[in-house]
Amino acid sequence: NDNTALRTSPYFHLGSLDQIQRFMDYYGGCATSGGRSPSIPTADVVSTTLTIPKQQPFSLLARESSSPSPSSPPLLTYTWEQIDLANAAPLESPSFTASPRFVSFNPSTSLSRRFPAFVNTLAGVTTSEEILPTSAGTMHFAVTVRDHWNANNDVGYGHWNAARMSVVVADIGPLTVQSPAGGGRGGR
């Protein structure tokens, strides 16, 4: 079953945020403004391109966003998402990188995300929600920064911003550990 979202996600994916923004830019404001943070948070990635071997776990990192209001800093959350769109294909079978390979997870205060989840990598577990690429190509990711300047209740969601980057998958790998064998220690 390719339905990886067994429940609804309590946030919008960057693709939906972009559509909402385009609608608002074209038609103007569609409602009266309620409580909002005073300005838009910044979004930036540490590197706009990362090159990895195929079937290699990796981590993406955003730069810390500046607080738009130093006197009342908002709670900033980050969401790393793959933003590739492709023709429908079973999740377990995409060998090319143009297919979405990683699901979105709820926003968190962490600037980074590991692909796949670190706990799964350590345990050697593979899930249909996070599939490492098995062939060369390019994947596209974005980090979305959201502010929630009123952490005491759900009123007060404000602005968002996003930065995009590419992960180039080289036709080598994955990296393997060749030594020390048997759990010994390496050099000093």
Side-chain angles (χ1 to χ4, degrees), residues 47-52 57-61 137-139 165-170:
S47 174
T48 57
T49 304
L50 173 67
T51 301
I52 62 168
F58 60 98
S59 183
L60 302 179
L61 180 64
T138 302
M139 299 182 290
M165 67 166 298
S166 299
V167 175
V168 177
V169 181

Side-chain angles (χ1 to χ4, degrees), residues 15-81:
S16 297
L17 290 173
D18 281 340
Q19 287 179 332
I20 292 167
Q21 190 64 52
R22 281 194 304 272
F23 180 89
M24 290 174 50
D25 290 346
Y26 183 78
Y27 290 106
C30 58
T32 57
S33 178
R36 293 174 66 123
S37 60
S39 61
I40 299 171
T42 59
D44 193 16
V45 293
V46 171
S47 174
T48 57
T49 304
L50 173 67
T51 301
I52 62 168
K54 59 187 177 184
Q55 294 184 294
Q56 183 67 43
F58 60 98
S59 183
L60 302 179
L61 180 64
R63 293 189 197 281
E64 189 164 2
S65 185
S66 63
S67 175
S69 175
S71 62
S72 177
L75 171 64
L76 298 178
T77 59
Y78 302 83
T79 307
W80 275 103
E81 303 170 299

Side-chain angles (χ1 to χ4, degrees), residues 58-165:
F58 60 98
S59 183
L60 302 179
L61 180 64
R63 293 189 197 281
E64 189 164 2
S65 185
S66 63
S67 175
S69 175
S71 62
S72 177
L75 171 64
L76 298 178
T77 59
Y78 302 83
T79 307
W80 275 103
E81 303 170 299
Q82 185 177 7
I83 55 173
D84 291 305
L85 298 176
N87 294 329
L91 288 174
E92 293 81 13
S93 66
S95 61
F96 52 97
T97 55
S99 291
R101 309 181 71 75
F102 301 96
V103 298
S104 299
F105 293 124
N106 290 344
S108 76
T109 55
S110 176
L111 297 171
S112 66
R113 177 176 169 192
R114 293 177 188 258
F115 297 84
F118 195 52
V119 66
N120 291 339
T121 301
L122 287 177
V125 173
T126 303
T127 70
S128 62
E129 294 148 343
E130 297 185 294
I131 302 171
L132 291 169
T134 57
S135 61
T138 302
M139 299 182 290
H140 302 92
F141 291 85
V143 60
T144 304
V145 182
R146 295 170 171 86
D147 66 4
H148 186 184
W149 59 279
N150 187 349
N152 295 323
N153 60 46
D154 286 339
V155 176
Y157 279 96
H159 298 284
W160 64 274
N161 205 340
R164 292 164 172 82
M165 67 166 298

